[in-house]
Amino acid sequence: MIDDIELLKIIEKDARIAPEDLAVQLGASVEELNAEIKRLTDEKIILGYTTEINWQKNYPEKVTALIEVKITPQKNLGFDNIAKMLSQYDKVTDCYLMSGGFDLMLIYADENLKNIAQFVYNNVATTEGVISTATHFILKKYKSNNIFFEDTTTDDRQAIVL
C-alpha cells in the first residue's frame, strides 16, 4: 500500500519525477502508483501541477501585489461568498482567509502598477461587504514554494579603504 503523505511530499517537491522512479521510491508498482494518483486527483487532493518561473529574468515588467482586504462577513455565508467572488478574476492567483488585522489576502499579478491599482479601486474596493484594502507590491522574490531565486549578479567593485 502506498503512503499518501509520502507520495504527496515527493510530487509536491518534483512533479516531473518519472513514474518508474517514484514507484521505486515508494516500493510500489507503476500500476499501483498510477491508480493512487488517479484516486487522489478524483478526490481533489491533487489539484494540479505547476511550474515555478523566475519572471524577473525574462519579464521584469510583471508586477505582483499582495492585497489585504477587510470585509464584513455575510449572514449565513461568512467570508466565503466574497472570497469566491474576488477569486474569480483571472489575475488573482491566490486568495486566503487570514487571521489578524485583515480578513482576505489576494495575490494579484499584472502588467504594471496602474492595472493593479485599477483592479483594487474598480473591483475589490467596490465589492459589497468590503470595508477597506491595503496593497503591497513585491519588489523582489528571494524564495517561493521552497525554491530559492538565485541572484546571479555579482558586485565586481573594489573596496576602497581610507
Side-chain angles (χ1 to χ4, degrees):
M1 179 158 195
I2 295 176
D3 180 347
D4 288 352
I5 301 301
E6 188 177 353
L7 167 62
L8 294 170
K9 285 180 179 179
I10 293 169
I11 63 174
E12 181 182 43
K13 197 173 208 176
D14 181 8
R16 294 182 61 195
I17 188 169
E20 297 79 16
D21 295 337
L22 186 52
V24 169
Q25 284 187 37
L26 297 169
S29 70
V30 174
E31 293 77 23
E32 289 174 304
L33 173 68
N34 289 337
E36 189 65 11
I37 289 175
K38 181 181 181 331
R39 182 186 69 78
L40 293 169
T41 303
D42 291 345
E43 291 180 11
K44 304 279 189 232
I45 294 169
I46 296 175
L47 299 174
Y49 301 89
T50 63
T51 302
E52 192 69 36
I53 298 171
N54 187 349
W55 288 110
Q56 294 172 338
K57 284 195 170 195
N58 67 340
Y59 189 24
E61 299 82 25
K62 185 174 182 173
V63 180
T64 302
L66 308 176
I67 306 167
E68 298 175 3
V69 185
K70 288 185 185 179
I71 61 177
T72 301
Q74 296 175 322
K75 186 175 182 170
N76 300 323
L77 297 172
F79 298 100
D80 294 346
N81 195 43
I82 295 174
K84 286 177 186 174
M85 283 191 307
L86 295 175
S87 295
Q88 296 302 312
Y89 292 97
D90 288 341
K91 294 181 181 181
V92 172
T93 61
D94 301 271
C95 180
Y96 304 102
L97 180 62
M98 305 294 290
S99 64
F102 57 95
D103 303 304
L104 297 177
M105 170 65 74
L106 304 177
I107 300 179
Y108 186 91
D110 208 326
E111 304 288 321
N112 56 54
L113 298 174
K114 183 177 180 182
N115 289 351
I116 294 173
Q118 288 177 335
F119 169 72
V120 172
Y121 65 73
N122 286 332
N123 301 104
V124 180
T126 59
T127 299
E128 188 175 338
V130 171
I131 299 169
S132 66
T133 65
T135 304
H136 309 273
F137 295 101
I138 294 177
L139 302 177
K140 182 177 181 179
K141 263 190 195 180
Y142 294 99
K143 183 179 180 181
S144 179
N145 292 322
N146 267 339
I147 298 172
F148 287 94
F149 287 63
E150 293 183 34
D151 186 2
T152 57
T153 59
T154 57
D155 188 352
D156 295 333
R157 296 178 293 177
Q158 298 292 320
I160 298 175
V161 180
L162 300 176

